[in-house]
Amino acid sequence: SLYVGQCYSRVIPMTRFRPCIDLHAGVVKQIVGSTLSDDPDRPPVENFVAKRSPAEFAALYAQAQLEGGHVIMLGPGNEASALAALAAYPGGLQIGGGINPQNATRYLDAGASHVIVTSYVFRDGRLDEERLAEMVKAVGPRRLVLDLSCRRRAPGGPFYVVTDRWQKFTDLTVDGTTLRRLAASCAEFLVHAVDVEGKQSGVERELVEVLGRESPLPVTYAGGARSLEDLDLVAQLSCGRVDVTVGS
């Protein structure tokens, strides 16, 4: 066995960088996640608005052979841009944002490797087992990624899954029990640390440790990463078991 930091393993997994294309109003942006809102009079805080199109970014990732990245549609007005990105990198990108059993197969047919789901499988702040079963039936667990993006209710407290553009708290905590419970229903987990998302303030260390220690499936972490050193930090904290995504 090999020992790396606090990690004992016969085979040391390796944290991978996964690209991300966040779409808002059809444009690639980096947004401070905690400022997303349904209120049209309160636009989100934008750190970066790209001049390149989503399809150009997708083609760039295809050329670099970066696999397992994703396209996230933040609100309405993003469908055409998302489909263009999928067409530019068939089979290379996952897609999330407003996915449900009715539209999921359309995105898979358009070139998505997986669909990413959060809000649809929650109702009234709770995980809806019937809706989760509907999603699994529609696409199969091997092409489903569950987004367990989360926030703390109080400093130092547990991380709770949030839905509806990260505005609504659920009663589901991100911990070993939850990850093991959901593992049979999907291929991977995607977890945004919403309180640091888009702030380039460093990763949520405790959350990365939980994901690395407890997740029985591949898991991608997003939030706060700003440098290659942060990629190394996630590898260290998770024993190489958690991948990192950074927006375009």
Side-chain angles (χ1 to χ4, degrees):
S1 298
L2 295 172
Y3 178 70
V4 177
Q6 298 179 333
C7 312
Y8 276 103
S9 177
R10 294 193 179 277
V11 178
I12 299 294
M14 187 169 69
T15 291
R16 295 187 300 158
F17 165 70
R18 299 201 191 197
C20 171
I21 300 172
D22 285 335
L23 297 177
H24 183 256
V27 179
V28 179
K29 299 180 182 180
Q30 186 188 61
I31 284 175
V32 177
S34 57
T35 67
L36 281 167
S37 168
D38 289 329
D39 185 349
D41 295 325
R42 287 173 48 207
V45 175
E46 300 170 351
N47 275 342
F48 175 75
V49 179
K51 293 180 180 177
R52 291 191 182 195
S53 71
E56 286 178 284
F57 278 110
L60 187 67
Y61 300 149
Q63 185 178 2
Q65 297 182 312
L66 290 169
E67 299 179 342
H70 56 266
V71 179
I72 300 293
M73 300 180 287
L74 297 169
N78 293 304
E79 192 170 308
S81 294
L83 291 170
L86 297 179
Y89 192 3
L93 294 166
Q94 306 169 0
I95 188 163
I99 304 295
N100 58 52
Q102 288 69 46
N103 64 19
T105 52
R106 180 187 178 202
Y107 289 108
L108 294 175
D109 292 343
S113 64
H114 301 70
V115 289
I116 304 167
V117 176
T118 313
S119 299
Y120 182 79
V121 298
F122 287 87
R123 184 157 43 184
D124 299 326
R126 299 183 174 223
L127 180 69
D128 189 319
E129 299 280 1
E130 287 187 14
R131 286 192 167 196
L132 177 58
E134 286 176 24
M135 277 304 317
V136 172
K137 184 177 179 181
V139 302
R142 287 184 295 179
R143 301 195 75 179
L144 181 63
V145 175
L146 289 180
D147 183 341
L148 302 179
S149 295
C150 57
R151 309 175 77 165
R152 281 180 157 133
R153 286 184 182 271
F159 294 94
Y160 288 88
V161 175
V162 287
T163 65
D164 299 286
R165 293 197 278 287
W166 303 331
Q167 298 171 75
K168 296 181 181 177
F169 278 96
T170 71
D171 65 358
L172 193 69
T173 53
V174 177
D175 54 27
T177 300
T178 295
L179 295 168
R180 289 187 293 272
R181 172 186 174 190
L182 295 175
S185 299
C186 63
E188 300 181 8
F189 297 116
L190 171 64
V191 183
H192 291 81
V194 175
D195 288 325
V196 296
E197 172 68 21
K199 294 182 178 179
Q200 298 182 351
S201 58
V203 301
E204 190 79 75
R205 299 169 67 112
E206 188 177 330
L207 179 59
V208 172
E209 289 176 340
V210 169
L211 297 174
R213 185 175 63 245
E214 303 288 353
S215 180
L217 294 177
V219 56
T220 300
Y221 166 88
R226 61 204 162 177
S227 66
L228 290 174
E229 286 74 20
D230 283 326
L231 189 68
D232 292 338
L233 178 61
V234 170
Q236 178 188 343
L237 293 172
S238 70
C239 300
R241 297 186 66 242
V242 174
D243 291 341
V244 183
T245 188
V246 180
S248 301

